[in-house]
């Protein structure tokens, strides 16, 4: 039994991750953040007022420099990491001439001297190698010889790890610097050490004051507090309403009597400027409930597998489960209409379809994660990837299993998906035992990999509950392509095309996983690309669905991909 607590909340922000890595802090003393704190859960656009400002990443695109990208065509140096320059120069990692250039700029800035980037030469992603005059940017371009629309786009396009050459000017003085485009993430997937904690939000408006109260609608991401469970008072009342959602921004902060539920008409909320003076009364929220006391993660209890061989056997089965649920989720996604929807259904159905496909893509990352753990536990030179689809998957009852089923997105199927992803019951229960075993057999990196899979599983659970909420007011006959969808008949050409592309995808993954990283990166990337577009899995699946059939993935007889039984 493990004494390490956080299953669903793990370090993912840079400050928590660094603190948890300090030897004096011991093992995982930092509770960390839920999956909603990860970069991929962000709103992902660049407009101030949301929960992060992606533009701040580009401020540190060049080694040892911090810049501001202003207006359409101005890049101004604001700081030099002089300590980093001296350290790199002392270690012979930076040429003496380059170090002198950094020193000159660093000495000039405190005196009010402006240093401006006037020219950038580098590899600008799909635009290729270009030598750009920054002042010439600032207007949209078209055609094969187009240039980036503005300075920020140019910097954003620079390919990580490729050489970048800057020409900088101050009055009549011109200097040049060359270095590789800086990576934003470290090997753990956290922000690189050049970023300070809070840097991604420092240029935003004030999201903890009146700015977020009303902006036409609740404009912030759905993974932020809005409708929550009320705080548990002491002693906890014997009242079923303690598990009824309430509005988070309510002005009445009393614990008792319990607040009015969120669905009881239009809930009262703090006025815009009331939040300026009373924002501190808004409770922190963890695991969907307001907290009035320090968060205490629940104990993690799971029985490890008896032997290392049993652990490996179950990891291979877990990879098969990931593939199996991908099949089920994609079948459901493509069963939803994309055209001819009544106006009242359009947004609900499109969002449901998108989220089903997003969850399926996330399961592909889990498949990769499990294979990485398996590779670390075995013979890396002769590693055989786990790409056999599970014949049956865990059911809702402990120890029970059910067949893998190709079904449209009916209310019953969505409820089944909720049960699949429900924490510590179905798929999550399998990973609990794997995690307990890795604490004995594996490395800390392996443990954190599985913890991430489990944390994202909770995100999938919440996502399917949202899909259920979106679709439940509507008649399934209105949002399904047909009420009686069935698998394609033998000889169906679109179905055959889908199976061919699916097998090619597995072949790519097998080759990439066999070789590992970095040798197998090209194959893994090719597999990822093969999922998208008209020429990929997406196009083939859409053709099957458009013909009025369920998207079904046939079982393969190839021993590498043949069904695997549950242990």
């Amino acid at each position: 039994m493990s004494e390490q607590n956080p299953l669903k909340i793990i370090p993912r922000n840079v400050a928590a991750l660094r603190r948890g890595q300090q030897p004096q802090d011991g093992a995982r003393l930092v509770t960390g953040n839920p999956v909603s704190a990860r970069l991929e859960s962000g709103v992902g656009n660049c407009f101030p007022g949301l929960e992060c400002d992606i533009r701040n990443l580009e401020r540190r695109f060049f080694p040892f420099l911090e810049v501001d990208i202003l207006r359409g065509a101005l890049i101004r140096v604001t700081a030099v990491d002089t300590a980093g320059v001296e350290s790199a120069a002392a270690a012979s990692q930076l040429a003496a001439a380059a170090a002198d250039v950094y020193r000159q700029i660093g000495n000039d800035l405190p005196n009010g001297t402006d240093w401006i980037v006037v020219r950038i030469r580098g590899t600008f992603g799909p635009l290729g190698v270009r030598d750009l005059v920054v002042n010439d940017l600032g207007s949209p371009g078209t055609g094969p010889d187009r240039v980036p629309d503005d300075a920020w786009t140019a910097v954003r396009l620079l390919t990580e790890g490729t050489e970048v050459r800057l020409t900088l000017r101050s009055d009549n003085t011109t200097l040049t610097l060359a270095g590789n485009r800086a990576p934003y993430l470290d090997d753990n997937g956290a922000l690189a050490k050049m970023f300070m904690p809070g840097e991604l939000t420092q240029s935003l408006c004030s999201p903890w004051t009146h700015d977020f109260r009303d902006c036409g609608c609740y404009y912030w991401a759905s993974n932020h507090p809005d409708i929550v469970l009320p705080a548990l008072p002491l002693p906890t009342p014997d009242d079923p309403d303690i598990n009824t959602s309430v509005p988070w921004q309510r002005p009445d902060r009393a614990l008792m009597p319990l607040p009015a539920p969120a669905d009881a008409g239009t809930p009262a909320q703090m006025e815009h400027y009331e939040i300026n003076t009373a924002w501190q009364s808004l409770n922190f929220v963890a695991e969907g409930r307001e907290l009035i006391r320090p968060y205490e993660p629940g104990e993690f209890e799971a029985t490890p597998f008896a032997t290392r061989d049993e652990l490996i056997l179950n990891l291979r089965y877990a990879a098969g489960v990931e593939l199996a649920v991908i099949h089920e989720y994609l079948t459901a996604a493509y069963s939803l209409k994309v055209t001819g929807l009544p106006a009242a259904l359009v947004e609900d159905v499109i969002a449901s379809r998108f989220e089903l496909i997003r969850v399926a893509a996330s399961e592909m990352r889990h498949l990769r994660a499990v294979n990485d753990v398996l590779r670390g536990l075995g013979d890396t030179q002769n590693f055989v990837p786990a790409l056999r689809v599970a014949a049956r998957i865990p059911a809702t009852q402990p120890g029970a299993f059910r067949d893998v089923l190709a079904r449209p997105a009916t209310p019953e199927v969505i409820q089944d998906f909720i049960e699949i992803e429900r924490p510590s019951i179905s798929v999550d229960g399998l990973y609990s035992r794997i995690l307990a075993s890795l604490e004995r057999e594996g490395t800390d990196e392996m443990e954190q990999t599985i913890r991430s899979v489990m944390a994202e599983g909770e995100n999938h659970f919440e996502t399917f509950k949202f899909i259920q909420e979106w679709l439940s007011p509507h008649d399934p006959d209105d949002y399904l392509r047909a009420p009686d969808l069935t698998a394609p008949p033998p000889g169906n050409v679109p179905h055959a095309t889908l199976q061919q592309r699916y097998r090619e995808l597995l072949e790519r993954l097998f080759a990439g996983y066999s070789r590992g990283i970095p040798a197998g990166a090209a194959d893994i990337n090719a597999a990822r690309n093969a999922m998208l577009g008209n020429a990929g899995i997406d196009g083939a699946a859409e053709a099957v669905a458009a013909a009025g059939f369920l998207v079904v993935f046939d079982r393969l007889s190839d021993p590498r991909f043949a069904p695997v039984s549950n242990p």
Side-chain angles (χ1 to χ4, degrees):
M1 181 183 302
S2 168
E3 296 298 323
Q4 303 299 339
N5 291 331
L7 273 183
K8 302 303 178 188
I9 302 184
I10 57 177
R12 275 291 176 259
N13 67 315
V14 64
L17 186 61
R18 289 177 191 166
R19 183 175 184 272
Q21 291 174 337
Q22 298 302 314
Q24 65 269 23
D25 290 329
R28 285 189 300 280
L29 290 182
V30 179
T31 299
N33 297 322
V35 66
S36 58
R38 300 183 67 169
L39 286 177
E40 56 265 35
S41 292
V43 167
N45 68 40
C46 307
F47 294 97
L50 302 176
E51 84 272 10
C52 62
D53 189 346
I54 302 298
R55 295 175 301 182
N56 289 333
L57 292 172
E58 270 60 58
R59 298 172 65 221
R60 301 183 184 273
F61 78 96
F62 195 83
F64 309 118
L65 290 186
E66 177 183 339
V67 304
D68 275 346
I69 304 176
L70 307 172
R71 301 189 294 278
L74 178 62
I75 304 176
R76 183 176 64 199
V77 178
T78 59
V80 177
D81 178 9
T82 53
V85 169
E86 298 304 333
S87 177
S92 299
Q93 297 171 346
L94 183 66
D100 287 340
V101 172
Y102 281 114
R103 293 185 188 110
Q104 180 175 344
I105 297 173
N107 291 333
D108 285 347
L109 292 177
N111 299 323
T113 302
D114 280 343
W115 279 97
I116 307 298
V117 177
V118 296
R119 200 179 198 100
I120 306 176
R121 176 178 173 79
T123 302
F124 295 88
L127 302 184
V129 177
R130 297 292 181 90
D131 191 351
L132 302 179
V133 177
V134 177
N135 198 48
D136 290 345
L137 305 176
S139 58
T142 59
D145 295 324
R146 68 188 185 280
V147 297
D149 293 355
D150 51 41
W152 179 83
T153 303
V155 173
R156 184 72 170 168
L157 285 173
L158 287 168
T159 304
E160 181 181 309
T162 60
E163 184 181 72
V164 177
R165 184 173 294 273
L166 302 182
T167 301
L168 303 103
R169 183 171 299 155
S170 176
D171 297 329
N172 296 321
T173 304
T174 300
L175 300 173
T176 60
L177 281 170
N180 289 342
R181 209 282 198 213
Y184 295 148
L185 302 179
D186 63 18
D187 293 338
N188 293 311
L191 283 175
K193 290 185 177 180
M194 61 186 175
F195 293 102
M196 299 298 292
E199 189 164 353
L200 283 189
T201 59
Q202 68 182 24
S203 58
L204 300 182
C205 63
S206 303
W208 288 102
T209 56
H210 67 275
D211 301 47
F212 69 78
R213 166 59 177 82
D214 271 325
C215 188
C217 62
Y218 294 107
Y219 76 141
W220 59 358
S222 60
N223 54 30
H224 283 194
D226 183 1
I227 304 299
V228 299
L229 296 177
L232 294 172
L234 290 176
T236 301
D238 184 16
D239 188 335
D241 289 340
I242 199 69
N243 293 316
T244 300
S245 296
V246 300
W248 179 62
Q249 299 174 44
R250 63 190 182 279
D252 182 3
R253 309 307 301 175
L255 293 177
M256 297 297 292
L258 290 172
D263 58 1
T266 303
Q269 300 185 68
M270 291 183 178
E271 296 297 331
H272 295 74
Y273 291 98
E274 184 180 1
I275 291 182
N276 277 341
T277 57
W279 62 267
Q280 66 271 23
S281 68
L282 295 171
N283 295 323
F284 284 97
V285 177
E287 299 175 356
R289 186 178 294 279
E290 295 183 0
L291 299 179
I292 57 175
R293 293 179 296 277
Y295 174 74
E296 296 181 2
E299 292 188 2
F300 165 51
E301 297 183 6
T303 304
F305 296 110
T307 65
R308 187 185 186 91
D309 288 343
E310 188 180 1
L311 167 62
I312 290 174
L313 184 66
N314 278 273
L315 276 165
R316 290 191 171 277
Y317 171 65
V321 171
E322 299 292 353
L323 275 169
V325 297
I326 289 169
H327 290 181
E328 292 200 354
Y329 297 163
L330 289 179
T331 298
Y334 288 101
S335 74
L336 297 171
K337 288 181 180 178
V338 291
T339 59
L341 287 164
L345 273 73
V346 172
E347 292 186 356
D348 290 338
V349 177
I350 290 177
S352 298
R353 188 175 191 267
F354 173 85
E355 288 297 284
L356 279 163
I357 294 176
R358 182 187 67 82
V359 171
S362 178
E363 303 292 6
M364 288 296 292
R365 292 197 297 271
H366 295 179
L367 178 68
R368 161 78 182 279
V370 173
N371 273 274
D372 285 347
V373 172
L374 278 167
R375 187 180 184 87
L377 288 171
D379 180 1
T380 58
Q381 297 301 316
N382 300 293
F383 175 63
V384 178
L387 290 170
R388 299 175 63 187
V389 182
R392 298 192 302 163
I393 63 176
T396 55
Q397 297 299 320
F401 298 86
R402 69 164 177 82
D403 292 336
V404 180
L405 304 171
R407 300 168 293 174
T410 63
E412 295 76 19
V413 169
I414 298 302
Q415 180 61 43
D416 205 7
F417 293 168
I418 291 173
E419 299 304 325
I420 289 174
E421 300 287 358
R422 186 179 296 278
S424 302
I425 292 181
S426 185
V427 174
D428 193 62
L430 170 63
Y431 280 115
S432 294
R433 297 195 66 188
I434 289 172
L435 177 58
S437 302
L438 287 173
E439 291 185 336
R440 180 190 63 202
E441 301 282 350
T443 64
D444 184 71
E445 182 179 358
M446 294 177 185
E447 291 178 42
Q448 297 307 325
T449 296
I450 297 303
R451 287 178 185 274
S452 293
V453 171
M454 296 172 72
E456 291 174 8
E458 185 184 28
N459 174 264
H460 298 170
F461 170 71
E462 295 292 341
T463 296
F464 285 131
K465 288 173 65 178
F466 288 141
I467 292 173
Q468 184 181 63
E469 179 182 342
W470 298 334
L471 295 180
S472 61
H474 310 301
D475 188 332
D477 289 351
D478 291 335
Y479 59 76
L480 293 176
R481 289 180 185 264
D484 54 352
L485 289 170
T486 59
N492 181 270
V493 174
H495 175 74
T497 300
L498 174 63
Q499 305 316 307
Q500 177 187 353
R501 293 181 184 177
Y502 171 56
R503 183 184 179 101
E504 291 171 354
L505 172 71
L506 293 178
E507 296 276 4
R508 287 283 196 181
L509 289 177
F510 192 91
Y513 290 172
S514 296
R515 300 175 70 189
I517 296 295
D523 284 311
I524 295 172
N525 285 336
R528 183 183 297 117
N529 293 335
M531 299 178 195
L532 307 174
N534 291 332
I537 294 286
D538 179 54
E542 188 58 50
V544 172
F549 298 108
L550 281 177
V551 170
V552 178
F553 296 89
D554 294 342
R555 293 188 175 187
L556 302 177
S557 58
D558 188 319
R560 297 173 299 171
F561 314 127
V564 58
S565 300
N566 52 282

